[in-house]
Amino acid sequence: MTDDRPRPQYGEYAPVGLPAPAPLDQATVTPTQPEVPPVTRRTWDVVLTMVLLIMGVADVVGSFPTFGNLAPVLSRAYEQQAIGTFTFDGLANDMGVAMNVVRIVLLGIAIGLGLFRIVHRKIAFWVPLAAGTLAFITVCGLLLVVVLTDPALAEYAVQRSNTP
């Protein structure tokens, strides 16, 4: 079917009698989105994360008694190194309890966040590594507070510096 009438210009009404435009096909109206490939499960990441979490649990459980009763451990270390007598038992035991609490909290966060990331198929091995590093830094800092505030170590350092 041909129509000799001129086509309407932009903004003009179509002349009476022109056929209605054909409806558009839905496939031509909706742009197709590219398919996103499903994220594959990384077996190495799951295994490595689980091994690191199990090592973290073993470390926290194994060192719990040591940190829970830190004063005798430091006394023994002072005797072995011939530093003198460790005197800050109360501070050492309090800091040992703080170390245990921090390590348990960090382990719980590592387990929760690590499993969350594994379920959502994201890289997760860094979570226990980061938690372990943070726990190590915290333990070292608290241990330094205990050791550096002890007068026996200060006396030992002064004696060593005065010895020719």
Side-chain angles (χ1 to χ4, degrees):
M1 165 171 166
T2 60
D3 189 8
D4 326 353
R5 295 179 293 176
R7 291 288 216 197
Q9 297 296 319
Y10 179 78
E12 288 183 342
Y13 289 113
V16 178
L18 277 182
L24 295 174
D25 185 18
Q26 188 65 19
T28 59
V29 173
T30 307
T32 59
Q33 295 185 0
E35 282 190 34
V36 178
V39 179
T40 58
R41 185 169 299 277
R42 297 171 186 91
T43 307
W44 65 269
D45 179 56
V46 174
V47 170
L48 183 58
T49 304
M50 289 298 133
V51 167
L52 290 170
L53 288 174
I54 290 169
M55 287 173 56
V57 169
D59 180 50
V60 168
V61 170
S63 62
F64 192 85
T66 303
F67 289 135
N69 199 10
L70 192 58
V73 173
L74 290 175
S75 293
R76 230 175 297 120
Y78 272 45
E79 289 172 12
Q80 289 174 351
Q81 297 297 319
I83 294 175
T85 305
F86 181 74
T87 56
F88 279 10
D89 292 348
L91 179 63
N93 288 332
D94 291 345
M95 288 296 186
V97 170
M99 290 176 202
N100 276 337
V101 169
V102 166
R103 289 164 46 93
I104 290 171
V105 168
L106 287 173
L107 179 63
I109 290 171
I111 290 171
L113 186 58
L115 293 178
F116 177 81
R117 291 187 65 84
I118 286 173
V119 167
H120 286 73
R121 296 180 182 223
K122 296 181 180 181
I123 298 289
F125 78 93
W126 63 269
V127 174
L129 289 177
T133 303
L134 189 57
F136 176 76
I137 291 169
T138 304
V139 166
C140 286
L142 293 175
L143 195 58
L144 274 174
V145 168
V146 172
V147 172
L148 293 178
T149 57
D150 186 49
L153 183 64
E155 288 175 24
Y156 177 75
V158 168
Q159 288 174 0
R160 294 287 292 174
S161 65
N162 291 336
T163 306

